[in-house]
Amino acid sequence: MNRVRVRISVVLSILLFAVGIGSTSGQTKAVDSLQVLLGKTKADSSRVDLLNQISFAYYSTDTTQAEIFRKQAETLSNTLHYSRGIAFGTYLKGLKYSYGNNYLLAINAHAEAIQMAQKIHYYSLIARAYNSIGGCNFRLQDYYNAGNAFENALAAMNLADDKSYLPAILHNLGALAIKQKKYDEGLMRFRQAVELNLTSGNTEWLAKNYLEMGQAYSELKINKKAVLNANKAFTLAREAGNARIELNSLLLLGRVYINYGRYHIAQRYLDGGFRIAVGKNLKREQLAFYKEYATLYEKQGHFQNAFGAEKKYTALYDSVYNAGQARLILEFQEKFKSQQQQAENELLKAEKLNNAEQLTQKNQLLTLLIVLLVFFVLCSLVIFWGYRRIRHSHGLLKAQKNEIQKQKDNVEHLNHIKDKLFSVISHDLRSPFASLKN
């Protein structure tokens, strides 16, 4: 039964990973396929796995739908006491926080999922959760803990039967290495991820791989390879329907052509990408384009236009990140509130445990006193009964002694009478016998 569950989970993971989670068309096909399977399953562990996978497919685009399916899976998992389902649901809860940019809450939820998964040797989930923790730390610019988390994810994935999530971990390790200026290591990780994604046909992750490789080559001033990889990323992103990768590819092409000094081509790429970013209301991408516009205008000597781009960048940055800072403060407040509540719960638990131990000790002492009291009563009864028997025996002995003494006195009296009688008889017979003798 466990092997069947593992095989089902592997098939579901491959199905989701192959279509490219996050792309609109791929996600629709994945969800449709999973919902067809859902209609054929009973209320058992297989249904829990399907509900969790549908929830996972929705999280990048529709968190409301994702939460609906996650909660259904959570309810059924608790009813069935299905540990794998409960652990995966906790991991999904972490994804909810992560997509809401509540990274600290996400890390706590993923850590809880890891603890659950370790108890049942659910290595593929351990790898996913560690990978997500690494991503959260990466966004928080905590690169040391991000690296530890990605390495833990890789170690867990090596123990897992389902290897479908390996390219994502390799990609993240590559991105982290590039961030730390370890270009050779980062490019090696990206190439490993590309090979695996080409095998699985994962279009979106291929686009991410090529984009990151292009950015690395751009930093290394290897512009031809940067353009080549950016064009690959753009084509694949458009095929997968991922607007962010598409925009970042155009942004990279604009940056590379600015470095080439071919400003008119750079302007064309930046204009096209900026229009898409505005049309889709992608604020962060608009910020990146304003920054590149400022650089472009400065290189061209159009300083007034460059100043205007910087001004627009500053205004948009304030509107975006002031809200982000408020959210971060709220996130910290929620975290510390959660930690305080946890500390209070642990203190209350320790106090209850202490009270329980004291109550147990009191009960044990009371039991001991009762046992001693019963023992004392029994001993007293035994002594009392023994005393009564001894006293009764003493009375019998005394009565027997009195009877014997009485009989002795009677015998002595009879002997005295006998002696007196023989004395009288002897005296009375002495004279006749003496006369006869004479």
Side-chain angles (χ1 to χ4, degrees):
M1 185 64 181
N2 290 333
R3 290 181 180 178
V4 172
R5 288 176 182 168
V6 170
R7 288 174 183 172
I8 290 173
S9 298
V10 170
V11 170
L12 293 174
S13 299
I14 292 172
L15 175 62
L16 285 173
F17 203 77
V19 298
I21 298 303
S23 63
T24 305
S25 59
Q27 184 209 50
T28 302
K29 292 177 182 178
V31 172
D32 288 345
S33 300
L34 291 171
Q35 287 185 338
V36 169
L37 290 173
L38 186 65
K40 299 177 182 179
T41 58
K42 299 178 181 178
D44 57 11
S45 59
S46 298
R47 186 175 184 83
V48 173
D49 292 337
L50 282 168
L51 288 168
N52 278 331
Q53 294 293 349
I54 293 171
S55 175
F56 179 76
Y58 269 124
Y59 262 116
S60 61
T61 56
D62 190 344
T63 54
T64 302
Q65 284 293 323
E67 277 294 283
I68 290 172
F69 284 101
R70 184 189 69 79
K71 289 177 179 178
Q72 290 180 15
E74 182 180 45
T75 301
L76 185 55
S77 295
N78 289 330
T79 302
L80 298 173
H81 302 291
Y82 181 37
S83 300
R84 287 171 68 91
I86 295 171
F88 199 94
T90 306
Y91 160 73
L92 291 177
K93 191 181 294 183
L95 287 186
K96 177 187 75 171
Y97 292 132
S98 180
Y99 281 114
N101 297 328
N102 296 313
Y103 299 122
L104 297 176
L105 294 177
I107 289 171
N108 289 337
H110 289 314
E112 186 179 351
I114 288 170
Q115 289 179 349
M116 295 179 182
Q118 285 174 337
K119 293 178 181 177
I120 55 177
H121 307 294
Y122 193 177
Y123 294 112
S124 61
L125 181 60
I126 294 171
R128 285 174 179 244
Y130 270 126
N131 188 59
S132 295
I133 289 175
C136 291
N137 282 316
F138 186 90
R139 293 177 182 89
L140 292 170
Q141 298 183 359
D142 184 356
Y143 301 128
Y144 176 77
N145 284 321
N148 288 338
F150 290 142
E151 290 295 341
N152 287 334
L154 188 61
M157 183 54 64
N158 290 332
L159 297 173
D161 295 324
D162 174 15
K163 306 289 187 184
S164 61
Y165 214 67
L166 180 59
I169 299 171
L170 292 171
H171 175 91
N172 289 336
L173 281 167
L176 179 62
I178 296 298
K179 195 71 177 180
Q180 296 172 321
K181 308 300 182 185
K182 301 175 182 177
Y183 293 103
D184 290 339
E185 179 184 344
L187 290 169
M188 177 195 71
R189 293 295 191 186
F190 287 139
R191 291 189 192 100
Q192 291 173 342
V194 165
E195 290 179 7
L196 293 172
N197 286 323
L198 283 171
T199 302
S200 65
N202 192 324
T203 305
E204 184 177 356
W205 272 100
L206 270 173
K208 291 180 182 179
N209 298 150
Y210 284 126
L211 175 62
E212 295 280 0
M213 290 174 71
Q215 290 172 342
Y217 283 124
S218 175
E219 291 181 23
L220 291 169
K221 307 300 183 185
I222 307 175
N223 292 323
K224 287 185 178 180
K225 287 189 176 182
V227 169
L228 178 64
N229 283 281
N231 280 321
K232 287 182 180 179
F234 176 81
T235 302
L236 291 167
R238 175 157 287 187
E239 181 183 336
N242 191 309
R244 282 193 165 87
I245 299 178
E246 186 178 344
L247 288 172
N248 282 308
S249 300
L250 292 171
L251 189 67
L252 176 59
L253 287 166
R255 186 181 302 128
V256 171
Y257 278 108
I258 289 173
N259 293 333
Y260 265 142
R262 303 175 70 176
Y263 303 128
H264 62 289
I265 299 177
Q267 178 91 41
R268 190 165 67 245
Y269 281 122
L270 293 178
D271 289 344
F274 186 75
R275 282 194 297 270
I276 296 173
V278 172
K280 293 185 177 294
N281 196 31
L282 299 173
K283 302 289 188 182
R284 297 177 190 276
E285 282 69 21
Q286 291 176 43
L287 284 171
F289 277 99
Y290 277 133
K291 204 70 176 173
E292 288 304 322
Y293 273 127
T295 303
L296 173 63
Y297 293 141
E298 186 180 353
K299 293 279 188 181
Q300 291 175 317
H302 301 155
F303 299 110
Q304 188 172 356
N305 289 339
F307 178 74
E310 284 285 357
K311 198 172 179 180
K312 290 178 181 178
Y313 172 86
T314 302
L316 183 59
Y317 182 92
D318 289 340
S319 68
V320 171
Y321 285 98
N322 283 342
Q325 288 175 353
R327 185 177 60 248
L328 187 62
I329 291 171
L330 180 61
E331 181 180 336
F332 274 109
Q333 288 175 341
E334 290 179 353
K335 179 193 175 185
F336 292 134
K337 184 178 179 181
S338 174
Q339 289 179 341
Q340 183 179 2
Q341 185 66 38
Q342 185 178 358
E344 289 176 356
N345 290 338
E346 289 178 356
L347 184 62
L348 183 61
K349 185 178 179 181
E351 185 177 351
K352 287 182 177 179
L353 184 62
N354 187 36
N355 290 338
E357 289 178 354
Q358 289 180 354
L359 183 60
T360 302
Q361 291 176 354
K362 289 180 180 179
N363 289 336
Q364 291 175 347
L365 182 61
L366 182 61
T367 303
L368 180 61
L369 289 175
I370 291 172
V371 170
L372 290 175
L373 181 61
V374 171
F375 179 74
F376 175 75
V377 171
L378 290 175
C379 288
S380 299
L381 289 174
V382 170
I383 293 170
F384 177 71
W385 289 332
Y387 172 74
R388 287 191 63 184
R389 291 185 63 185
I390 292 171
R391 188 174 177 183
H392 179 68
S393 299
H394 181 71
L396 291 176
L397 288 173
K398 188 174 181 180
Q400 291 176 354
K401 182 179 180 182
N402 291 336
E403 182 68 23
I404 292 170
Q405 186 63 39
K406 186 178 179 181
Q407 291 178 359
K408 180 180 178 184
D409 291 343
N410 288 334
V411 170
E412 288 179 351
H413 180 66
L414 291 175
N415 285 334
H416 180 69
I417 294 172
K418 180 193 71 173
D419 291 340
K420 190 174 181 180
L421 177 63
F422 284 145
S423 176
V424 171
I425 293 172
S426 173
H427 182 270
D428 289 343
L429 291 177
R430 186 180 301 163
S431 293
F433 277 111
S435 299
L436 289 174
K437 185 177 180 183
N438 292 328

